[in-house]
Amino acid sequence: MAAPPLLSFYGDDLTGSTDALEALGSAGIRTVLFVRPPDEQEQGRFVGFGAVGLAGTSRSQSPAWMDKHLPPAFAWLRRQGAAVCHYKVCSTFDSSPAVGSIGRALELGADLFGQACTPVVVGVPQLRRYTFMGQLFAAYRDEVYRIDRHPVMSRHPVTPMAEADLRRHLAAQTARSLGLVDLPTLEQPDAEARIDALAASAAVLLFDVADRASQLAVGRQLARLSREHPRFVVGSSGVEYALLAAWGEAGLLKPAPTFAPPGAVERLAVVSGSVSPTTERQIRHAEAHGFQLLARSPQELLAEGGVEHAVAAALKVLDGGRSVILASAVGPESAATVDEAGRAELGRRLGRILDRLIRTAGLTRAVVAGGDTSSHALGELGVLALTLCLPLPRTPGSPLCRSHRPDGSDGPELAFKGGQIGGDDYFVGIRDGLG
């Protein structure tokens, strides 16, 4: 019988899920990310993998949705037998009591695992996200901002971050007591005893991570706390990076694999629901390097016949030998007001369009831009699971993935990019094979 995985995880959106997939796979831990819980035969294709994940959509959902959908997902993950089960959230921690409530997800997971205290790890220096004295800081281009002053996340159209103190932010989402393991505590010779005392008095324990040294210290503590009983943990891919540092120190990891660039493709299709200025720059850069932009408003795509019209226009571009970007917004100024149900349907329609383009034009590589868009689009692509094809160290969190279909065949290479992730040449690099 195969050994249980080291870690299981649920990603609250797809790009967050592939972020964890990339972190683990880059360190040599074979990881499979399922779109839904597989049946026994489907899972049998991935026996012996060191980590297993589920890609979810809870970041854009209500607490009532979570109450219905998260317990069975967490129960399936718990049955995998991993020492750590991770509820993976974005490193910007954007959420609210009504949408993507991290507090409610934490409560559901802690109750299912029967644990009195749940660790929370958000800082991840690899992504230029840092926590200090419980405050979250995140980079944007060449500067680091407190999250409530971040040029993008403080103005997020659905869950703007107006509070940098993560304990205060979480207190609006859960009534459970909150504690902090700050950097000075991590550095004390009796850190374990201090942390155990804090865990005995708080139901939620936030760990500061400001650099690689504190990341390693947190990883040691997570490994220690999960040694005797499986531990449910909440946080960004900082959880994976912290554990990897500790596992590496303990000699539990094999040498990291090498990944060869897959080479260029002649044509690439991109669908984007992102309103981020980062994605806008990527679209403009791609236009200047051979891509054709098809801008369609959400209202056009949601109208009757909207999918068919968009598919026809995009196929015309692809048949002419060019790569195409179909976008429902090009930067925040073009964003249209769409309610929660409309945003979910828009993501599904973009996924339906991309699936048609892949199958009709015979594409071997494609991209979805936008965290929520990716989550809803994936379900339309006929994919059961994703594995790592190529990590992208320059833009961590947005790797190129291999797709696997339920019938056992392999699908196209797919990349899923959060709105604020990546350099200006992201789409061009994916087309050209990042060689």
Side-chain angles (χ1 to χ4, degrees):
M1 180 179 293
L6 290 168
L7 180 139
S8 63
F9 65 94
Y10 177 100
D12 71 349
D13 73 356
L14 180 58
T15 55
S17 303
T18 56
D19 181 14
L21 169 70
E22 180 181 39
L24 293 161
S26 297
I29 296 178
R30 295 175 69 209
T31 304
V32 57
L33 174 64
F34 289 105
V35 173
R36 55 168 172 78
D39 62 31
E40 186 174 347
Q41 182 178 359
E42 290 169 338
Q43 190 166 1
R45 293 163 52 194
F46 302 95
V47 168
F49 275 56
V52 59
L54 278 179
T57 63
S58 55
R59 182 180 177 185
S60 60
Q61 305 289 357
S62 67
W65 183 96
M66 293 180 175
D67 289 346
K68 179 179 179 181
H69 293 91
L70 289 185
F74 291 162
W76 182 84
L77 288 170
R78 187 179 185 184
R79 290 196 296 272
Q80 305 312 303
V84 176
C85 179
H86 175 203
Y87 181 71
K88 165 70 174 65
V89 303
C90 184
S91 58
T92 53
F93 219 65
D94 51 305
S95 54
S96 77
V99 179
S101 173
I102 296 171
R104 184 57 186 150
L106 184 152
E107 292 169 350
L108 293 168
D111 289 348
L112 189 143
F113 276 76
Q115 64 191 39
C117 181
T118 299
V120 176
V121 180
V122 183
V124 47
Q126 290 82 352
L127 301 182
R128 300 178 69 200
R129 311 289 199 253
Y130 314 95
T131 46
F132 177 72
M133 294 299 173
Q135 308 279 319
L136 176 59
F137 298 82
Y140 178 71
R141 297 182 76 79
D142 296 326
E143 294 189 45
V144 175
Y145 299 85
R146 203 173 68 186
I147 199 66
D148 57 341
R149 297 179 182 176
H150 191 278
V152 176
M153 300 316 301
S154 66
R155 304 169 189 171
H156 191 283
V158 181
T159 49
M161 286 296 287
E163 176 58 67
D165 188 324
L166 297 185
R167 287 171 295 173
R168 292 177 63 91
H169 184 72
L170 269 180
Q173 301 175 21
T174 178
R176 300 196 179 183
S177 56
L178 298 152
L180 172 67
V181 178
D182 57 26
L183 296 181
T185 298
L186 285 170
E187 294 169 353
Q188 297 303 313
D190 60 345
E192 291 186 4
R194 290 172 182 253
I195 290 168
D196 289 344
L198 287 167
S201 62
V204 182
L205 198 56
L206 174 66
F207 285 78
D208 269 349
V209 174
D211 54 23
R212 299 297 180 101
S214 54
Q215 186 173 73
L216 171 59
V218 169
R220 290 170 181 154
Q221 296 303 320
L222 293 181
R224 179 179 70 88
L225 292 170
S226 60
R227 198 163 289 146
E228 294 184 5
H229 303 286
R231 177 73 64 163
F232 180 76
V233 179
V234 173
S236 70
S237 57
V239 171
E240 279 75 21
Y241 284 109
L243 285 169
L244 288 168
W247 292 337
E249 181 185 54
L252 299 179
L253 300 181
K254 297 177 181 178
T258 58
F259 294 86
V265 292
E266 291 184 0
R267 300 170 301 161
L268 182 75
V270 179
V271 295
S272 174
S274 170
V275 302
S276 168
T278 300
T279 303
E280 179 184 11
R281 288 193 304 273
Q282 292 162 345
I283 290 172
R284 298 306 184 196
H285 183 87
E287 280 190 286
H289 291 81
F291 284 69
Q292 182 168 332
L293 170 65
L294 299 177
R296 299 290 187 269
S297 71
Q299 289 73 22
E300 289 177 281
L301 293 171
L302 292 171
E304 185 176 354
V307 168
E308 295 298 328
H309 291 150
V311 167
L315 284 174
K316 186 175 181 180
V317 175
L318 292 167
D319 289 345
R322 297 183 67 187
S323 296
V324 65
I325 299 175
L326 179 70
S328 61
V330 184
E333 300 304 319
S334 67
T337 301
V338 182
D339 62 19
E340 180 180 341
R343 289 192 298 272
E345 178 60 20
L346 179 62
R348 288 190 288 269
R349 292 197 177 201
L350 287 170
R352 220 168 297 154
I353 291 166
L354 187 59
D355 185 58
R356 289 275 299 278
L357 299 181
I358 289 168
R359 295 179 186 274
T360 305
L363 300 179
T364 59
R365 191 176 299 164
V367 180
V368 183
D372 292 343
T373 302
S374 296
S375 298
H376 296 296
L378 180 60
E380 306 297 322
L381 297 178
V383 171
L384 168 68
L386 299 170
T387 55
L388 183 63
C389 175
L390 182 71
L392 306 180
R394 287 200 303 129
T395 55
S398 55
L400 188 63
C401 301
R402 296 184 183 91
S403 65
H404 308 273
R405 294 187 172 121
D407 64 4
S409 65
D410 290 336
E413 297 167 347
L414 298 170
F416 301 92
K417 187 198 80 67
Q420 69 271 21
I421 295 294
D424 292 354
D425 61 349
Y426 181 84
F427 298 140
V428 174
I430 293 289
R431 181 196 63 188
D432 295 346
L434 302 123

